[in-house]
Amino acid sequence: MRIPALCCLATLLAACATPVRDQAPAADTALNIAPIEVPRIERPAGETPQWWFRSGAAAAAERGAMEGRARNVILFVGDGMSLTTVSAARILAGQRAGNAGEEYRLSWEDFPHTALSRTYNTDMQTPDSAGTMSAMATGVKTRAGVINVDHTRPRGDCSAYGERGLLSVLELAQSAGLSTGIVTSTRITHATPAATYARSPDRNWENDAQVPAAARAQGCTDIAAQLLDTPFGSGPAVIFGGGRQYFLPVQQQDPEHDRPGKRTDGRDLIADWKARNPGGAFVWNRAQMEAASGQGPILGLFEYDHLHFEADRAELDPDEPSLAELTREAIRRLQAGKEGYLLLVEGGRIDHAHHAGNAHRALVDTVALADAVQAASEMTSESDTLILVTADHAHTLTFSGYPARGNPILGKVSTDPDSADGYTLDATGLPYTTLGYANGPGYAGATGRPDLSGVDTAHRDYLQEVTVPLASETHGGDDVGIWARGPGAHAVRGNVEQHVLYHFMVQATPRLRQRLCEQDLCNADGVPVELPHPADFMRP
């Protein structure tokens, strides 16, 4: 027996005793959603990968994602972009524009559809980027620290590796004939971008030297090599990020810095990519990227490690493109494809600045992501392109203290900006900042709070005060936002599990749905409900 997709999700996910009528309910005329039937979902002991996939399919279908007719999909991920981060970045951008700030709107805040996403991993209340992006990329929740393999083995365990692999939405898109692209401000082998093309029981196996011998013997390979050795056609048409160190052998110097590569297997993966893409271009700065305009596939590795924080980029490396520039170039190239495209854009260094306890750089990188979303919005049409903006997880940034409206968001709290002393004081008579962290490296409690009266707390190197001392600030376990526009975007509403984002993208894109249905993975109404296996979608 099937259950109508328009009834409540709790019914879909629970083993209910209430009988379900065979007759489908009438269509929701307000949303123009036809009745779509999905199977009853019962939570088994252990929450199998198949259960996670079906539960996500049910949640997306009952919200009407199957009504989407998207040709293109762009997923923006602000790594670590908590709702507090969005609020503070909004104010910073507004204040930089000469306004009070609170009324300002980041580009995605004008999107008509929103939801909240629950980010926990199968084994962690507060998640990590590998498990969270794997959920969005595959439609299946999994463990922290693993990339696109199911949760049935511990992190680092390569046993049954071939059986546990999960197909990513980018690989599905390539199999369906769509053009694909990856843009990130981190190493291209970092957890979030890696989840679009790789499978690894450990996110840290970015380079062959990091994969233990026992794991290699069981068939596990490093993440960088998987980008080149993809069995899903020729791979992404656009690859923009950092991390040249993991693509070059130790015998070879980096083209920009006086450092050798870190591969110990002797492979030059950049040379391998060129051989595999004879009409393509490898670039590592803006001038080369612009000179390669009009060529075929492109591999842009713009730094030895991660790209620079946006707050430092113009000063430290003016030849490094911004995230918005990379996004524009990626879309321009992908738009030339005949069958549509799927693109991931990650603002990855928001997370890194938060870990350092540095709100300034985190907020500036969030604004940079908003600039990239604005660029995408201007270059695409709501009629054929689904744009989703979300975060993989939150952070512990706090926003408090009763500052007056218009008070500098990176400054010290002032309840009355016109008062003589200027600052609100704590119980010991000292000023304090609006933004802080629940934990991290900015702890000063052992010697008492510092006097911030003469400290420039808006400086890019200032570290916010914290409550709990840690070497690195941690992620947060709270929900994150989803903002959407375009075909199928109306399905983005309410509170959803994070793996439902995969199903939003797939169900709203007919070519992706069709590709899964060709493998008999859909029910009678065309809803993809069976977990796909990567081996069934590989092609020469």
Side-chain angles (χ1 to χ4, degrees), residues 48-109:
T48 67
Q50 173 64 28
W51 181 85
W52 281 113
F53 192 86
R54 286 193 178 186
S55 70
E62 76 156 349
R63 285 166 170 78
M66 290 287 289
E67 293 296 306
R69 296 293 183 269
R71 183 177 188 271
N72 315 306
V73 178
I74 306 176
L75 174 63
F76 285 91
V77 177
D79 197 315
M81 190 175 71
S82 63
L83 291 173
T84 305
T85 304
V86 172
S87 299
R90 171 202 306 148
I91 294 173
L92 178 65
Q95 291 178 344
R96 286 185 163 189
N99 303 313
E102 293 82 4
E103 76 293 339
Y104 191 81
R105 300 177 71 84
L106 298 175
S107 55
W108 58 76
E109 294 184 296

Side-chain angles (χ1 to χ4, degrees), residues 244-262:
R244 291 190 301 264
Q245 59 182 313
Y246 295 145
F247 288 77
L248 297 173
V250 293
Q251 302 89 349
Q252 187 170 332
Q253 292 296 111
D254 181 76
E256 183 179 18
H257 303 289
D258 186 22
R259 303 177 189 173
K262 292 190 175 180

Side-chain angles (χ1 to χ4, degrees), residues 364-397:
V364 171
D365 265 46
T366 303
V367 175
L369 180 65
D371 291 341
V373 173
Q374 182 64 34
S377 299
E378 293 170 354
M379 294 182 69
T380 60
S381 170
E382 289 190 61
S383 66
D384 66 2
T385 302
L386 172 62
I387 299 179
L388 297 167
V389 181
T390 190
D392 49 354
H393 56 73
H395 269 274
T396 72
L397 182 69

Side-chain angles (χ1 to χ4, degrees), residues 92-306:
L92 178 65
Q95 291 178 344
R96 286 185 163 189
N99 303 313
E102 293 82 4
E103 76 293 339
Y104 191 81
R105 300 177 71 84
L106 298 175
S107 55
W108 58 76
E109 294 184 296
D110 286 325
F111 287 7
H113 303 284
T114 61
L116 291 175
S117 171
R118 302 184 186 193
T119 64
Y120 62 91
N121 299 139
T122 59
D123 61 338
M124 297 288 286
Q125 192 173 72
T126 297
D128 95 312
S129 295
T132 52
M133 186 60 201
S134 292
M136 291 187 279
T138 69
V140 176
K141 284 210 176 198
T142 189
R143 292 177 179 269
V146 307
I147 293 173
N148 293 355
V149 292
D150 69 38
H151 64 285
T152 58
R153 299 285 192 283
R155 177 177 177 173
D157 187 343
C158 275
S159 61
Y161 174 63
E163 302 169 12
R164 296 167 49 222
L166 301 170
L167 180 76
S168 80
V169 68
L170 184 134
E171 293 167 334
L172 173 63
Q174 290 169 182
S175 174
L178 276 68
S179 300
T180 61
I182 310 167
V183 176
T184 180
S185 56
T186 69
R187 294 189 298 267
I188 200 70
T189 52
H190 213 235
T192 299
T196 64
Y197 64 84
R199 275 159 289 282
S200 179
D202 195 314
R203 60 174 289 175
N204 292 331
W205 296 351
E206 297 181 56
N207 173 34
D208 70 295
Q210 296 166 321
V211 183
R216 290 198 299 270
Q218 290 181 304
C220 283
T221 57
D222 68 276
I223 292 168
Q226 291 186 53
L227 180 60
L228 274 296
D229 298 335
T230 176
F232 299 91
S234 58
V238 177
I239 303 169
F240 287 156
R244 291 190 301 264
Q245 59 182 313
Y246 295 145
F247 288 77
L248 297 173
V250 293
Q251 302 89 349
Q252 187 170 332
Q253 292 296 111
D254 181 76
E256 183 179 18
H257 303 289
D258 186 22
R259 303 177 189 173
K262 292 190 175 180
R263 298 196 66 83
T264 59
D265 59 2
R267 288 188 68 181
D268 179 347
L269 296 185
I270 295 173
D272 288 354
W273 184 90
K274 290 178 180 179
R276 185 165 182 163
N277 298 274
F282 166 67
V283 301
W284 54 268
N285 59 45
R286 180 189 292 106
Q288 292 175 349
M289 181 180 75
E290 293 173 348
S293 178
Q295 295 186 26
I298 187 167
L299 171 63
L301 299 178
F302 298 96
E303 263 302 329
Y304 181 80
D305 194 36
H306 302 299

Side-chain angles (χ1 to χ4, degrees), residues 293-521:
S293 178
Q295 295 186 26
I298 187 167
L299 171 63
L301 299 178
F302 298 96
E303 263 302 329
Y304 181 80
D305 194 36
H306 302 299
L307 274 62
H308 291 93
F309 289 109
E310 180 62 21
D312 308 317
R313 180 180 57 83
E315 175 185 331
L316 298 180
D317 191 352
D319 292 328
E320 182 182 294
S322 69
L323 191 63
E325 289 177 285
L326 295 175
T327 300
R328 290 190 194 96
E329 181 65 14
I331 293 174
R332 188 189 65 77
R333 287 174 171 271
L334 293 173
Q335 284 176 334
K338 296 180 180 179
E339 303 295 344
Y341 60 84
L342 187 145
L343 172 64
L344 165 75
V345 180
E346 183 204 18
R349 304 226 63 193
I350 301 168
D351 174 76
H352 296 168
H354 278 322
H355 281 307
N358 180 210
H360 184 288
R361 287 185 173 89
L363 301 189
V364 171
D365 265 46
T366 303
V367 175
L369 180 65
D371 291 341
V373 173
Q374 182 64 34
S377 299
E378 293 170 354
M379 294 182 69
T380 60
S381 170
E382 289 190 61
S383 66
D384 66 2
T385 302
L386 172 62
I387 299 179
L388 297 167
V389 181
T390 190
D392 49 354
H393 56 73
H395 269 274
T396 72
L397 182 69
T398 63
F399 184 156
S400 60
Y402 300 117
R405 180 170 178 180
N407 200 64
I409 190 63
L410 291 168
K412 294 175 275 289
V413 172
S414 176
T415 303
D416 180 4
D418 297 323
S419 65
D421 55 17
Y423 300 130
T424 302
L425 304 181
D426 70 4
T428 66
L430 297 175
Y432 56 96
T433 57
T434 300
L435 300 180
Y437 287 96
N439 59 50
Y443 183 73
T447 56
R449 288 197 58 243
D451 186 350
L452 300 179
S453 300
V455 177
D456 180 7
T457 60
H459 192 277
R460 64 184 176 183
D461 291 331
Y462 177 74
L463 302 186
Q464 270 65 31
E465 292 182 85
V466 306
T467 304
V468 177
L470 293 176
S472 176
E473 183 265 353
T474 72
H475 296 170
D478 35 315
D479 294 355
V480 297
I482 312 172
W483 297 262
R485 67 157 235 192
H490 67 271
V492 178
R493 62 183 190 273
N495 186 290
V496 299
E497 298 285 0
Q498 190 167 47
H499 66 299
V500 177
L501 272 89
Y502 166 94
H503 298 277
F504 285 150
M505 292 186 283
V506 169
Q507 291 185 20
T509 310
R511 288 191 66 85
L512 299 183
R513 297 200 311 256
Q514 178 185 357
R515 185 70 184 95
L516 291 173
C517 291
E518 289 172 354
Q519 296 292 322
D520 295 325
L521 300 175

